[in-house]
Amino acid sequence: MKRTIIRNCMLLDDGAEHGVISGACVAVEDGRIAYAGPEDAYRPEEGPSDTLDACGALALPGLINAHTHVAMALFRSAANDLPLQEWLNDRIWPLEARLDGEAVYWGTMLGIAEMLANGVTAFSEMYFFMDDIARAAEAGGMRASLYRAVVGLYGDGGRIADAVRVHRDWDGAGGGRIRVGLGPHAEYTCSTAVLRSCAERAKEMGCGLHIHVSETRREHEECKERHGMTPAKLLKSLGLFDVPCLLAHGVALEEGDIQLIARSGQVLAHCPGSNLILASGVAPVKRMLDAGVTVALGTDGAASNNNLDVWQEMYLAAVLQKGVLKDATAVTAAQALAMAAEGGAKALGCDGSIGALRPGTRADLILVDTDRPHYWPLTDMKRHLVYSGGARDVVLTMVDGEVLYDRGEYPKLDIKRVRAKAAEAAARLFGG
Ligand SMILES: [Zn+2]
């Protein structure tokens, strides 16, 4: 048994003064949390332990990126200040047409390095060249739910069969860190037959789905014209809600959609940064929370964000609802933090096994240096984290008990090689 004791840390505790306790420790045994609480109450069993001194930092569950296309890190800032359809049709799709497995692998590695530095421990991916993404997730050590993208207005072009193969080859890889589902891209890029087949295959394989839903008003209204119902209602009618179906964006959702999503128990991945950059609008998150929908947070791809920083999404998730609704109570700091942790865990189908620091959960955690001026004075730690803090405060990131990022260093990655290879791939994509 391998045991690591993270000593001298702080832990969030809603019942404690300022919402935090100090003098705590977290014991990790074989990649799981065995203890998280006051250090003087910890009674380890016999056996050797490694000790990691947190130097007073705050231990938090790792943040979870519930909707992204990690390899798009290669397209960071390559196309901005354009409306979504122009951005997608004229810029992104031509670039994606030039992608190959090598470029996707190094783009994903680059995104993984970025997420680890930002305190993100898990992500939910929808893209193609999925074997290369799985190899990168396995090598990089992150937890990932991978959904092979399926598009097809006239048949699926063999993509569903390939998704089934990816599931067979990779589901459960990386010591169980990698899970695989199907990613029908969206209502406007898939025929109803393709959507229905995705749902059927997912049911057969016992896996989940991941799809873009009502990202823009235009897409939402065009679906109503085409099918006489909203995208959410169409997906439900085609059987996609018979399995866990992670819904990305939901900017244009109507009240009936929200009620339907709540009843179906599906998770909405809110991507406020991407929705703002592409001028799509602001998702009705407050109404979703009121209806009982679980909301998680996603960065979307770095081509429309332009980073993979879940801290920014937490901040936006809280302040946008206040601003749009002119209601300062609309979404609290605690709710925004819960979206990035527990909400993300549910989005990835890992409900109860990540997203919290308690005995039995996987040791996906981060250390945050709160000994910095923007955390002083200590009044309310969750508010500090969401409104004052940021990715710059993350000093250590651990996944499954393994340290993957430690004060600028990557024990498992050759970061200089990642940078050089990603630059090489980008040069090939953008070059003549
Ligand atoms: Zn997306």
Side-chain angles (χ1 to χ4, degrees), residues 67-69 72 126 185 210 212 215 248-249 271 274 300-301 304:
H67 176 68
T68 186
H69 319 282
M72 291 180 90
M126 183 207 290
H185 175 266
H210 184 179
H212 296 93
E215 179 174 358
H249 299 296
C271 307
S274 173
D300 213 348
S304 62

Side-chain angles (χ1 to χ4, degrees), residues 129-276:
F129 294 103
M130 206 41 102
D131 298 277
D132 302 284
I133 295 169
R135 282 197 298 119
E138 190 173 42
M142 279 188 80
R143 192 175 302 285
S145 289
L146 308 177
Y147 302 83
R148 198 260 191 243
V150 174
V151 293
L153 289 171
Y154 311 97
D156 71 281
R159 294 181 184 91
I160 295 177
D162 188 57
V164 171
R165 179 198 59 76
V166 173
H167 181 269
R168 189 189 63 222
D169 289 352
W170 287 101
D171 191 49
R177 285 183 289 103
I178 296 175
R179 303 178 61 157
V180 178
L182 264 83
H185 175 266
E187 172 275 328
Y188 64 95
T189 47
C190 293
S191 67
T192 53
V194 166
L195 291 170
R196 193 181 284 117
S197 306
C198 285
E200 285 165 2
R201 289 296 93 71
K203 227 180 286 179
E204 283 164 20
M205 294 189 293
C207 68
L209 298 166
H210 184 179
I211 188 166
H212 296 93
V213 175
S214 301
E215 179 174 358
T216 64
R217 171 64 52 193
R218 178 176 151 185
E219 163 208 331
H220 184 86
E221 294 302 327
E222 286 179 355
C223 174
K224 282 160 69 175
E225 279 168 32
R226 269 192 291 272
H227 301 289
M229 59 183 113
T230 63
K233 288 186 177 141
L234 179 72
L235 300 185
K236 159 84 176 152
S237 76
L238 296 172
L240 280 82
F241 287 3
D242 297 346
V243 295
C245 185
L246 175 56
L247 307 168
H249 299 296
V251 170
L253 292 176
E254 298 175 28
E255 196 54 43
D257 299 328
I258 293 172
Q259 296 302 330
L260 172 65
I261 293 166
R263 278 199 308 277
S264 317
Q266 305 298 357
V267 180
L268 191 290
H270 177 41
C271 307
S274 173
N275 298 151
L276 288 177

